[in-house]
Amino acid sequence: MESMNNRLRNSDKITMDVIAKELEVSKTTVSRAISGKGRVGAETRDRVLKYIESLGYKPNSMAQALAGSKTYNIGVVVPDTDERGGAPFFKDCLLGVSRSAARRDYDTVLAVVSYDNDNISRLERLVNGRRVDGFVLTRGDKGGKISAYLRSQEMPFVLVGSDSRQDVCQIDSDQKDGCCELTAQMLAQSPKGVALLAGSKEMDVERLRYEGYERAFDLSGRKVDEGLVFWNSEDRLEEVLERILAAEIECVACSDDLLCLKVMETLRRRGVSVPERIKVVSFFDSEDLEYNDVPVTALHVDTKALGERAGDLLIDIIDGKNPEARNYAKSSVLYRSSFRDNAG
Amino acid sequence: MESMNNRLRNSDKITMDVIAKELEVSKTTVSRAISGKGRVGAETRDRVLKYIESLGYKPNSMAQALAGSKTYNIGVVVPDTDERGGAPFFKDCLLGVSRSAARRDYDTVLAVVSYDNDNISRLERLVNGRRVDGFVLTRGDKGGKISAYLRSQEMPFVLVGSDSRQDVCQIDSDQKDGCCELTAQMLAQSPKGVALLAGSKEMDVERLRYEGYERAFDLSGRKVDEGLVFWNSEDRLEEVLERILAAEIECVACSDDLLCLKVMETLRRRGVSVPERIKVVSFFDSEDLEYNDVPVTALHVDTKALGERAGDLLIDIIDGKNPEARNYAKSSVLYRSSFRDNAG
DNA sequence: CTGAAAGCGCTTACAG
DNA sequence: CTGAAAGCGCTTACAG
């Protein structure tokens, strides 16, 4: 019916079918013009493109997903923990992945897992329903359960963080390198040495930081004084700082922001002025350090960039490329009042 | 071929078709058994359910989305701004929405918009591609552009925050009520009055807080002393605190956490002890207040719960229900060292 | 370069 | 209660 009139009616939902009919070409041609795959005459293609442009037509992505068995969605696995200070990482990482996804025309889906009770049902739903093409895992993967699961499902993934397995595609900031650089700067100004207040030796990241610290000594031809390296220092801060001050050490490096904040607070309470009496840096930056009474020099990781690179790596894998398994992002030193390099 | 053997081969991708054949029923029946829609004999249904269970079969959700024109995805619109202190809200809100979604078997997709340059291309992609069934908008909707757009596309949405339009479904914490409650507690302990350090009068939320403060005075039969209400107080903190201390006021309410932190810092520098010399509260809580030198009593908004309720409202709308347009979540007072109520 | 047709894996009137 | 069949809106061999 309406055989005389093949103009588009407003009420018609626009699909490739109706576009094809309007333009008197086949659906196949329309599809090819849009996707850019398969040969189409330049003229025909332009005609199609112009027409859908004027219509504001966009293909239904669910249909594309079904036909092409590709969703153009990537999942981001995030823990639902409430650990203090975790929010900026969460946010920046997500925004980073999302930016990468956007640039390559993917969307970003959340997969919240509960590390406490190992609840990965949301992740399973995404996998089983084939709702995403791959995953970015943030904040490590305790016990490697998630990566093992994804692998068993032949689902591509990339890890933000470090994993010892050689075949897991991963991206992390180069903690060791950064700590080495910052320590080297401090050594240049501290004949008596640089103390290190560290956390638990059991943590990978703490060990990496220590290695960077150690390396700076090596490079400058000095030797680490193990008497100035304090593991688990948080629980005995008063005593540790006492000893450091007594030894007239000029610089202290703290392995993370929370610890560093405590150090700053303790020093202030004691009336020890920073940086005059002693210089302080943190191997991990945070807003609290930036806005502290005396802003603290710190090693800064660009989490958003980390997320972006993770997204890029994942989409490369999805696209069938084979990116390097181990990837590092440089961290940078943000010099603030608590310690300045000689240049500044 | 293989007519003698209708056992499932491992290599077969399992779909409703193969399940139907295995069970010698129709695809229709399998679909109905799974979805629960449409009548199926109890026995048949159980047989189907048992079988797919044993197979670990899950329907392909892209096919479901296409056939049922429903994606079971909800979008969350988040700004990509870097405003200080914004990360906890971002994270909790997202986790809240995601939890609600999970409970009702939806997934959560990110729609990052840039408020700076009004870039809503990611949102448009989600809408045009029909990739989600609705949206939760966080952090308001400057100028109402996004809600206008979504409405023009007949896309359901819920706002986290306040909007004056009566027909916009929204959920916010009851700032006014909470400020009133906390102010009342302070009034009970301050014969000389409670000072208010506020931000800009131009901001909706600042005015709401003031109204709550004012209401507490009304309820207690007292009158607000406008000389103790300091708008834009952040820029002249020293002077303002000077006057408050000179007047021997016993309590100060700060309208947000950042301002409050500055107040605490200024007081400490001057050697004014909290809560002995003066009591302090914040109308907005944050981790920094909790972990401050002297932990600060504050009005606490459960952002995760806010996100959850937003998700619930949205899914109700998607399901064709008509929830209330205006929804409020109670905020609660977290008493800490800087001010205690008489009970504590 | 272009098209008819099968297929992706579901849902749902419609008819028994 | 159950099924055959059409349809959701695309993609992609296959054959011209």
Side-chain angles (χ1 to χ4, degrees):
Chain A
M1 39 221 92
E2 293 226 51
S3 54
M4 288 288 79
N5 179 9
N6 64 357
R7 293 294 86 203
L8 203 53
R9 286 170 304 171
N10 288 326
S11 60
D12 277 337
K13 170 182 301 189
I14 80 189
T15 67
M16 281 194 178
D17 241 326
V18 346
I19 293 173
K21 263 159 206 151
E22 279 306 300
L23 261 29
E24 293 176 315
V25 296
S26 75
K27 223 168 34 171
T28 310
T29 300
V30 176
S31 174
R32 288 203 271 246
I34 291 174
S35 70
K37 296 178 198 163
R39 306 241 132 269
V40 201
E43 183 191 356
T44 317
R45 186 190 53 229
D46 291 348
R47 204 157 60 90
V48 173
L49 258 23
K50 204 145 295 170
Y51 187 62
I52 67 168
E53 169 73 36
S54 76
L55 249 43
Y57 165 78
K58 303 284 172 184
N60 176 311
S61 54
M62 294 302 146
Q64 288 182 307
L66 181 58
S69 52
K70 199 167 166 205
T71 66
Y72 288 95
N73 275 150
I74 63 185
V76 183
V77 179
V78 294
D80 68 350
T81 53
D82 284 319
E83 97 187 43
R84 167 139 135 92
F89 180 86
F90 179 99
K91 164 172 159 278
D92 289 330
C93 204
L94 227 42
L95 288 179
V97 174
S98 170
R99 173 174 301 179
S100 156
R103 196 171 31 225
R104 300 179 64 168
D105 224 30
Y106 277 71
D107 282 301
T108 309
V109 181
L110 243 49
V112 180
V113 302
S114 167
Y115 278 145
D116 304 335
N117 55 6
D118 253 337
N119 184 345
I120 62 165
S121 61
R122 298 319 294 169
L123 210 180
E124 290 173 327
R125 174 170 199 266
L126 256 19
V127 172
N128 290 329
R130 302 282 136 186
R131 297 171 78 82
V132 301
D133 300 330
F135 288 93
V136 169
L137 309 196
T138 67
R139 274 287 149 97
D141 171 23
K142 288 191 188 148
K145 282 185 195 166
I146 295 180
S147 48
Y149 168 69
L150 292 177
R151 194 162 284 183
S152 76
Q153 300 291 315
E154 301 180 56
M155 187 58 91
F157 65 94
V158 169
L159 200 75
V160 176
S162 288
D163 190 294
S164 55
R165 288 165 293 177
Q166 287 293 339
D167 55 344
V168 168
C169 184
Q170 55 196 270
I171 166 88
D172 204 350
S173 64
D174 197 333
Q175 300 278 346
K176 184 172 166 180
D177 201 60
C179 292
C180 173
E181 183 190 333
L182 185 46
T183 304
Q185 291 290 342
M186 298 186 89
L187 277 175
Q189 299 181 37
S190 325
K192 300 216 177 181
V194 174
L196 173 62
L197 305 205
S200 162
K201 221 176 203 163
E202 310 302 311
M203 298 185 64
D204 285 355
V205 66
E206 291 285 343
R207 256 175 296 134
L208 278 175
R209 286 168 182 159
Y210 172 76
E211 285 169 21
Y213 169 86
E214 191 178 30
R215 188 145 189 281
F217 279 80
D218 288 352
L219 290 180
S220 72
R222 296 213 241 167
K223 226 177 139 319
V224 170
D225 176 356
E226 292 293 342
L228 290 180
V229 176
F230 303 90
W231 295 97
N232 301 307
S233 52
E234 186 163 352
D235 310 325
R236 47 187 180 117
L237 222 50
E238 296 279 350
E239 169 217 332
V240 164
L241 286 174
E242 188 71 56
R243 279 165 60 183
I244 291 172
L245 289 167
E248 299 194 336
I249 300 300
E250 301 95 335
C251 290
V252 181
C254 307
S255 68
D256 75 39
D257 58 326
L258 260 25
L259 177 61
C260 190
L261 247 14
K262 285 198 179 179
V263 167
M264 292 300 285
E265 166 63 16
T266 306
L267 291 174
R268 200 195 54 210
R269 235 187 7 247
R270 292 188 169 210
V272 179
S273 65
V274 176
E276 292 77 9
R277 169 66 185 83
I278 193 164
K279 299 179 174 63
V280 177
V281 308
S282 168
F283 282 164
F284 189 81
D285 191 27
S286 76
E287 270 187 0
D288 288 343
L289 253 25
E290 179 178 359
Y291 292 98
N292 189 53
D293 203 12
V294 177
V296 181
T297 292
L299 214 52
H300 189 263
V301 176
D302 187 342
T303 311
K304 207 184 263 188
L306 223 52
E308 259 185 87
R309 285 193 50 192
D312 284 339
L313 288 166
L314 176 60
I315 299 174
D316 281 348
I317 296 176
I318 292 171
D319 286 350
K321 293 173 199 157
N322 257 304
E324 288 289 315
R326 306 190 96 82
N327 302 274
Y328 298 99
K330 281 198 84 60
S331 50
S332 55
V333 179
L334 253 36
Y335 288 100
R336 298 195 272 246
S337 315
S338 73
F339 171 77
R340 301 220 171 261
D341 68 344
N342 290 320
Chain B
M1 40 219 94
E2 295 227 50
S3 53
M4 289 288 81
N5 178 10
N6 63 358
R7 292 295 85 204
L8 203 53
R9 286 171 303 172
N10 289 326
S11 59
D12 276 337
K13 171 183 301 189
I14 80 190
T15 68
M16 281 194 179
D17 243 327
V18 345
I19 292 173
K21 262 157 207 151
E22 280 306 300
L23 262 28
E24 292 176 317
V25 295
S26 76
K27 224 168 34 171
T28 311
T29 300
V30 176
S31 174
R32 288 204 271 247
I34 291 173
S35 69
K37 295 178 198 166
R39 306 239 131 270
V40 201
E43 183 190 357
T44 317
R45 187 191 51 230
D46 291 348
R47 204 157 61 91
V48 173
L49 258 22
K50 204 146 294 170
Y51 187 63
I52 67 168
E53 169 72 36
S54 77
L55 249 44
Y57 165 78
K58 303 283 173 188
N60 177 312
S61 53
M62 295 301 145
Q64 288 182 306
L66 181 58
S69 52
K70 201 168 163 202
T71 66
Y72 287 95
N73 275 151
I74 63 185
V76 183
V77 179
V78 294
D80 69 349
T81 54
D82 284 320
E83 96 186 45
R84 166 140 135 91
F89 180 87
F90 179 98
K91 163 170 159 280
D92 289 330
C93 203
L94 227 42
L95 288 179
V97 174
S98 170
R99 174 173 302 177
S100 155
R103 195 171 32 222
R104 301 179 64 168
D105 224 31
Y106 277 72
D107 281 301
T108 308
V109 181
L110 242 49
V112 181
V113 302
S114 168
Y115 278 145
D116 304 335
N117 55 5
D118 253 337
N119 184 345
I120 61 165
S121 61
R122 298 320 293 168
L123 211 179
E124 291 173 327
R125 173 169 200 266
L126 256 19
V127 172
N128 291 329
R130 303 283 135 185
R131 297 171 80 82
V132 301
D133 300 330
F135 288 93
V136 170
L137 309 196
T138 67
R139 275 287 148 98
D141 170 23
K142 287 190 189 152
K145 283 184 195 168
I146 295 179
S147 48
Y149 169 68
L150 292 177
R151 193 162 283 181
S152 76
Q153 300 291 315
E154 301 179 55
M155 188 56 93
F157 65 94
V158 168
L159 200 76
V160 176
S162 289
D163 190 294
S164 54
R165 287 165 294 178
Q166 287 293 338
D167 55 343
V168 169
C169 185
Q170 55 195 270
I171 166 88
D172 204 351
S173 63
D174 197 334
Q175 299 277 345
K176 185 172 164 182
D177 201 59
C179 292
C180 173
E181 182 189 333
L182 185 47
T183 305
Q185 291 290 342
M186 298 186 89
L187 277 175
Q189 299 182 37
S190 328
K192 301 215 178 188
V194 174
L196 174 62
L197 306 204
S200 162
K201 221 177 203 163
E202 311 301 310
M203 298 185 64
D204 285 353
V205 65
E206 292 285 342
R207 256 175 296 136
L208 278 175
R209 286 167 183 160
Y210 172 76
E211 285 169 19
Y213 168 84
E214 191 178 30
R215 189 144 190 281
F217 279 79
D218 287 352
L219 290 179
S220 72
R222 296 213 240 167
K223 227 179 137 323
V224 170
D225 176 354
E226 292 293 344
L228 291 179
V229 177
F230 302 90
W231 295 98
N232 301 307
S233 52
E234 185 163 354
D235 311 326
R236 47 186 182 121
L237 222 49
E238 297 277 351
E239 168 217 332
V240 163
L241 286 173
E242 188 72 56
R243 279 167 58 183
I244 291 172
L245 289 167
E248 300 196 335
I249 299 302
E250 302 96 334
C251 290
V252 181
C254 308
S255 69
D256 75 39
D257 57 325
L258 260 26
L259 177 60
C260 189
L261 248 13
K262 284 197 178 178
V263 167
M264 292 300 285
E265 166 63 16
T266 306
L267 291 174
R268 199 195 56 212
R269 235 186 10 244
R270 292 187 169 209
V272 180
S273 65
V274 176
E276 293 78 8
R277 171 63 185 82
I278 193 164
K279 299 178 175 64
V280 177
V281 307
S282 168
F283 283 163
F284 189 82
D285 191 28
S286 76
E287 269 186 1
D288 288 343
L289 252 25
E290 179 178 358
Y291 292 97
N292 190 52
D293 203 10
V294 177
V296 181
T297 292
L299 214 51
H300 189 263
V301 175
D302 188 342
T303 311
K304 209 185 261 188
L306 222 52
E308 258 185 88
R309 286 193 48 193
D312 284 339
L313 287 166
L314 177 60
I315 299 174
D316 281 348
I317 296 175
I318 292 170
D319 286 350
K321 294 173 199 157
N322 257 304
E324 288 289 314
R326 306 190 95 81
N327 303 274
Y328 297 99
K330 281 198 84 60
S331 50
S332 54
V333 179
L334 254 36
Y335 287 100
R336 298 194 273 245
S337 315
S338 73
F339 171 77
R340 301 222 171 261
D341 68 345
N342 289 321

